[in-house]
Amino acid sequence: MRGKQPKRATLKDIAEKAGVSSTAVSLVLNNKPNRFTEETREHIRSIARELQYVPNQSARSLATQSSSLLALIIPDIENLFFASLAKHMEDECKKQGYSLLIVDTGEDVHEQSSALRRMIQLGIDGLFIVPSFGSAQYNAQLLDELSTTGIPVVFIDRIPEKLQSEASDIHMPEDAESSRVVRTQWRGLAYNHRVGGRLAARHLIEAGHTHIGVIGPVSHRASDKGDNSARFEAFLEDLDAHGIVPDTSCIIDGNFSLSVGYNHADALIRAGVTAVFCGNDLIAVGFLRRAREQGYAVPGDISLIGYDDVMGAFGLDFEFTTIRQDVAELARQSCKMMLDKNYDVQQQGSVVLLEPQLHVRHSVAQLGD
């Protein structure tokens, strides 16, 4: 037979031992404004530690109508970009006193719907979501489902086309602290992938490359600027504007994985491309590995450019040129958009686009040098 569980310490227990009111204890332990001396505050905290006080989250939720829970739904935790995003999001939420539930959907739209229902049942205060790749019809359905929950939603990185079409773009000011707009139900935050695609194209063009390959989920092209597949559209459009049209056999469709870069490297090398644009850094690492196995040097024999710039955060030393998305900044601005009442968006469905940067390292050769 199990023994009797020890009585859980309460605010009243702490108050009696400290010789103050329960209200005073609540103010101090919840870091609310108060007029107590630092000595009194530390005395209360010390007793709370001594009694091993743990806040009753259920009671707090009922009293405040807040669970202090947020959720992040991402499509692939094995993708280093999303793994880094999850870590930074958790850190930012913790700073604001929130716990973050993280769900990986495996790029499955049905699992995404299931995860959404589970998070709503848990009474989350807000949802961050990177949608799984799905049809325009499914994304419209997702928005309809979310609109009935009453939960604030911030779309990150992938912005549904319907959300884009209903909104005017609001670009991030240099001084984000000065941004004061009206709160909305749906908001979106992403790096401007059209800018990223153009940066990659122009860097290769300026280096003299005309026979160029592309690897990534190019079939997921979309017109909206927030969708990360737009990097491929912009890349190819910029090449075309300079009279460069890659052969269709040199445009490889595949997911954002290391294996895609590795498995398709041989075909691009045989096609004689002098440079390859990879849709993310994992693809670039896979391509680089296979090229070296085949005896090719980067950039001596073939140039390479990636996207994301997340490898360094995991201690992986791959010094290739890439388009940088500052994941820490993306997480910070996403949480600010969700939680800061002074940082709202003027119109329901409005989207903020951050600017990616070209980080030049040692993987693109200047032809003719």
Side-chain angles (χ1 to χ4, degrees):
M1 182 175 178
R2 296 177 62 183
K4 185 177 180 181
Q5 295 295 315
K7 179 178 178 292
R8 181 173 179 167
T10 65
L11 292 178
K12 184 177 179 181
D13 295 331
I14 299 171
E16 289 178 352
K17 190 162 186 177
V20 297
S21 68
S22 296
T23 300
V25 174
S26 178
L27 289 172
V28 171
L29 296 185
N30 287 294
N31 297 314
K32 299 295 185 183
N34 62 76
R35 297 182 179 181
F36 304 115
T37 65
E38 181 55 36
E39 181 180 2
T40 299
R41 288 195 289 269
E42 183 52 39
H43 181 54
I44 292 172
R45 296 188 195 107
S46 176
I47 292 174
R49 289 192 294 269
E50 177 188 334
L51 297 179
Q52 298 183 336
Y53 171 73
V54 178
N56 185 328
Q57 187 61 53
S58 296
R60 176 181 290 178
S61 299
L62 289 172
T64 64
Q65 297 298 303
S66 170
S67 65
S68 293
L69 287 175
L70 299 171
L72 169 64
I73 296 179
I74 55 176
D76 183 9
I77 195 66
E78 292 184 339
N79 182 318
L80 296 186
F81 176 80
F82 295 129
S84 181
L85 176 65
K87 176 63 171 70
H88 285 292
M89 291 291 294
E90 185 175 37
D91 291 343
E92 289 296 328
C93 290
K94 189 182 299 181
K95 290 177 186 177
Q96 301 298 325
Y98 284 83
S99 296
L100 183 68
L101 304 174
I102 301 170
V103 182
D104 176 14
T105 65
E107 287 284 12
D108 186 322
V109 293
H110 301 295
E111 173 56 29
Q112 180 174 265
S113 292
S114 177
L116 176 59
R117 289 192 294 270
R118 295 196 304 271
M119 295 304 100
I120 292 171
Q121 289 170 357
L122 288 172
I124 59 173
D125 292 332
L127 173 68
F128 301 102
I129 181 170
V130 182
S132 299
F133 282 130
S135 66
Q137 180 180 1
Y138 179 80
N139 286 331
Q141 178 184 336
L142 173 63
L143 287 175
D144 289 340
E145 290 177 3
L146 290 171
S147 68
T148 64
T149 67
I151 298 172
V153 177
V154 174
F155 289 93
I156 305 175
D157 189 51
R158 301 176 183 177
I159 313 299
E161 188 172 358
K162 181 180 178 182
L163 184 65
Q164 285 273 350
S165 65
E166 293 177 352
S168 58
D169 295 335
I170 298 179
H171 292 268
M172 182 71 66
E174 290 187 10
D175 179 12
E177 299 296 330
S178 66
S179 179
R180 297 178 63 88
V181 285
V182 180
R183 199 167 188 82
T184 65
Q185 179 65 25
W186 296 334
R187 296 170 294 281
L189 183 69
Y191 274 88
N192 192 326
H193 296 298
R194 293 195 65 81
V195 171
R198 287 196 297 269
L199 287 172
R202 290 174 189 180
H203 185 62
L204 294 180
I205 292 168
E206 289 169 3
H209 294 276
T210 58
H211 197 8
I212 299 169
V214 180
I215 309 178
V218 293
S219 65
H220 291 289
R221 297 181 191 179
S223 59
D224 53 302
K225 292 185 286 297
D227 192 298
N228 58 23
S229 60
R231 66 191 67 173
F232 302 108
E233 282 188 339
F235 181 83
L236 294 171
E237 287 169 3
D238 214 65
L239 293 186
D240 185 65
H242 288 81
I244 302 170
V245 181
D247 189 275
T248 54
S249 65
C250 295
I251 301 176
I252 307 296
D253 187 33
N255 58 29
F256 285 125
S257 69
L258 185 148
S259 62
V260 164
Y262 184 91
N263 293 337
H264 293 285
D266 287 0
L268 289 178
I269 292 171
R270 285 196 301 269
V273 299
T274 63
V276 178
F277 171 50
C278 299
N280 73 352
D281 290 344
L282 282 175
I283 296 174
V285 170
F287 184 95
L288 179 63
R289 179 179 296 175
R290 180 56 181 165
R292 287 175 173 173
E293 288 177 359
Q294 294 290 79
Y296 291 90
V298 173
D301 298 311
I302 190 166
S303 293
L304 186 67
I305 184 167
Y307 204 106
D308 287 342
D309 198 24
V310 297
M311 309 306 292
F314 294 88
L316 302 174
D317 186 21
F318 292 98
E319 287 295 307
F320 48 75
T321 295
T322 189
I323 304 301
R324 176 174 171 75
Q325 299 188 82
D326 187 336
V327 182
E329 181 67 4
L330 184 64
R332 189 177 76 85
Q333 295 295 349
S334 296
C335 288
K336 193 174 181 67
M337 183 177 275
M338 174 73 76
L339 300 172
D340 190 341
K341 293 181 180 178
N342 292 326
Y343 185 93
D344 297 321
V345 183
Q346 287 181 338
Q347 171 182 344
Q348 182 169 348
S350 292
V351 174
V352 173
L353 298 178
L354 305 177
E355 296 292 303
Q357 303 293 325
L358 173 69
H359 271 220
V360 178
R361 294 193 176 98
H362 312 292
S363 64
V364 176
Q366 186 77 33
L367 294 190
D369 285 358

